[in-house]
Amino acid sequence: MIRQGIRTMIQRSGVPVEVIIECNSGDKALEILKNQKVDVMFTDIRMPKMSGIELVQKVQELPEQPIMIAVSGYADFNYAVEMMSMGVREYILKPVERDKIQAIMKKLEQEITQNQESRRTSNRIGHQQLKYLMLNEQVTEEELSTMQEEYESEFELYDYYVCVSNPKEWQAFEESYIYLHNVENNDVYLVTDKNMQMLLKNEFAQQYVGVSAIHSGIRELGIAYREAVEARHHAFCTDRRNFYVEEIGTGLATDFYEQGKEMISAEKKQQRVQLLGTDKTEELVRTWERFFHVVKNGWITPADFADCMDDFFAEIRRTYRNMLDDEEEKLKELADYYGSPVLTVWQEAFMEWILALHERINDRFDTSKNQQKIKQAIEYIQENYDRDLNMAVVSNRVSMNYSLFSYLFKEVTGNNFVNYLKGIRVEEAKKLLAETDMRIVEISAKVGYDNEKHFMRIFKATCGVSPSEYRRNAQMH
């Protein structure tokens, strides 16, 4: 009852508290403290299995210790004095008074807030120093020694990896790694060896990340960062998640390098420019697809890829400068190759843009012929939406290159293929729900979904209600 009373007083103190955990013994409290961070602990002195004095003694051994408040009767005052000598902050006599709890809570809130702000300030300063070390190869011995003394132990820079990914808009701070946002347009993580596998399974599970070799000490930070950047470029180009620097240049046959060399020759570079503005749209698309195939297979280096694209953008600026006045922002976005998570994503944006430019400058572009093919594709989708359809199937059906079909389909319909097909299927499902008594699993199959749960998720995401709710609403009207 006393424990529940203290809980109520804390809740009514006016101080925001995330969670209050109650324990009926000291050993249960210790188990919680070992497994999660706790800001404040109120403990009695007399408890079953483990006394408050034993609990406080054991808390001293933990890496993170809460602020501790002792609660007990007057007869235990000598014990309370002993506990305060071990770090207990306050001592409250029973019966516990609400005003006393409120005063302590407000005092602790101010202290915790100040400590958090102080840590944030310290981290910001420390993070700036870490960035400085990463980006400057000519760091003096004096600077290195100073930073080593101040930050090496604070940030646990022993047996660590540097990991680099494309920048994200926002990233939560995690205590299992050091996070540095937007370092040379990269997001950087410093991860200890013991936490690396956990990070790969969680934060990095869906990312394309470059990983350095394992390093130790602040002096190796610059080397580790440059390794991670190089590995990140390989992860981007080869569509590989978690690319380690040690994997660069391993296991590729000489003849593949020769093919790659040919693709970055001056002749091939010129060909990719010259195909723009001709009637050879299919060849233009195939040429770029071959180039990206070479990049993804690692037959040329990321540096070669960037050089080729830099040369291409420079050449079309010279050749078509009068047509690119309103394209500057898009060109800058495309020139930031590693701002995208992976080459496949960047390639899609690039091909959409290059085909749009090609259409504008090609006065012999056979618009009517291609629009007729898209019209045939739309008719085919409308007649066969209940089958296993995808863009490859439909583009082959109308004998059109996949990338060109993707671009023109969106131009004509105002929607991409996946969303267009989804729209037709959902509209047909709505009709069947309203006008028939077919079961939902039957409707799912009827409109082209062999997985009922997948159909239900798509329907709810599109219509805002489940199929059952939609049917009920339709029948009411």
Side-chain angles (χ1 to χ4, degrees), residues 6-238:
I6 293 174
R7 178 191 187 97
T8 302
M9 292 176 196
I10 290 170
Q11 289 171 328
R12 295 176 180 174
S13 68
V15 173
V17 177
E18 270 188 34
V19 64
I20 300 173
I21 303 170
E22 292 184 48
C23 302
N24 60 10
S25 66
D27 58 345
K28 288 185 179 178
L30 184 63
E31 193 60 34
I32 287 171
L33 290 168
K34 286 178 179 177
N35 292 296
Q36 70 182 80
K37 187 178 184 303
V38 173
D39 293 310
V40 179
M41 177 179 75
F42 287 78
T43 179
D44 207 330
I45 291 178
R46 297 182 185 274
M47 294 185 291
K49 297 183 180 177
M50 182 185 292
S51 72
I53 294 175
E54 290 175 284
L55 174 60
V56 169
Q57 285 172 334
K58 291 187 180 295
V59 165
Q60 307 302 306
E61 301 168 9
L62 299 178
E64 287 193 286
Q65 301 167 18
I67 298 171
M68 294 177 285
I69 316 295
V71 180
S72 199
Y74 181 77
D76 292 321
F77 181 73
N78 288 336
Y79 293 128
V81 171
E82 182 182 349
M83 290 171 76
M84 292 181 80
S85 71
M86 292 187 288
V88 169
R89 188 69 60 81
E90 301 274 352
Y91 174 59
I92 305 175
L93 280 171
K94 297 176 185 175
V96 179
E97 298 174 358
R98 190 176 71 175
D99 290 346
K100 182 68 173 173
I101 291 285
Q102 186 178 45
I104 288 174
M105 288 300 294
K106 288 191 178 298
K107 178 181 174 183
L108 294 182
E109 180 193 24
Q110 185 177 8
E111 180 181 336
I112 290 168
T113 302
Q114 286 174 347
N115 288 342
Q116 287 173 340
E117 185 55 42
S118 175
R119 276 199 303 273
R120 279 194 289 268
T121 302
S122 175
N123 277 337
R124 279 196 296 271
I125 295 169
H127 288 176
Q128 288 302 320
Q129 296 299 317
L130 296 181
K131 286 182 183 181
Y132 176 78
L133 272 181
M134 288 178 185
L135 300 179
N136 290 277
E137 296 186 42
Q138 306 301 321
V139 181
T140 67
E141 179 60 34
E142 185 180 354
E143 287 175 317
L144 274 171
S145 297
T146 301
M147 291 182 203
Q148 193 170 9
E149 187 177 329
E150 289 188 19
Y151 301 115
E152 191 163 87
S153 58
E154 179 182 344
F155 287 121
E156 293 187 49
L157 292 176
Y158 308 102
D159 295 333
Y160 64 89
Y161 295 89
V162 172
C163 306
V164 168
S165 72
N166 65 298
K168 292 162 287 300
E169 290 184 8
W170 178 84
Q171 171 72 38
F173 171 76
E174 293 286 347
E175 294 187 359
S176 59
Y177 55 82
I178 299 168
Y179 170 69
L180 305 174
H181 178 56
N182 206 9
V183 181
E184 292 185 315
N185 208 22
N186 296 305
D187 275 3
V188 179
Y189 304 78
L190 276 64
V191 190
T192 57
D193 185 28
K194 65 180 180 181
N195 289 328
M196 189 62 189
Q197 291 306 313
M198 178 179 68
L199 200 66
L200 292 174
K201 288 178 183 176
N202 297 318
E203 281 89 337
F204 291 167
Q206 300 301 317
Q207 293 193 52
Y208 297 85
V209 178
V211 184
S212 74
I214 194 165
H215 288 269
S216 189
I218 208 164
R219 291 171 178 270
E220 298 183 21
L221 191 55
I223 297 168
Y225 170 70
R226 289 186 285 279
E227 288 177 354
V229 169
E230 186 180 4
R232 158 65 190 147
H233 292 174
H234 281 268
F236 169 88
C237 287
T238 58

Side-chain angles (χ1 to χ4, degrees), residues 357-412:
L357 177 63
H358 177 70
E359 183 181 21
R360 284 166 53 196
I361 62 180
N362 182 4
D363 56 6
R364 290 170 292 174
F365 190 84
D366 192 353
T367 304
S368 60
K369 179 182 174 184
N370 282 312
Q371 285 187 340
Q372 185 61 34
K373 285 188 175 184
I374 296 299
K375 185 180 176 184
Q376 291 171 8
I378 290 169
E379 289 172 358
Y380 182 76
I381 293 167
Q382 290 171 340
E383 292 169 5
N384 298 276
Y385 61 84
D386 57 337
R387 299 185 182 181
D388 183 17
L389 286 187
N390 56 49
M391 195 158 69
V393 169
V394 179
S395 61
N396 286 336
R397 176 79 184 185
V398 296
S399 303
M400 185 179 285
N401 176 274
Y402 183 91
S403 297
L404 181 60
F405 177 85
S406 174
Y407 165 70
L408 290 174
F409 189 89
K410 191 172 181 181
E411 282 290 296
V412 172

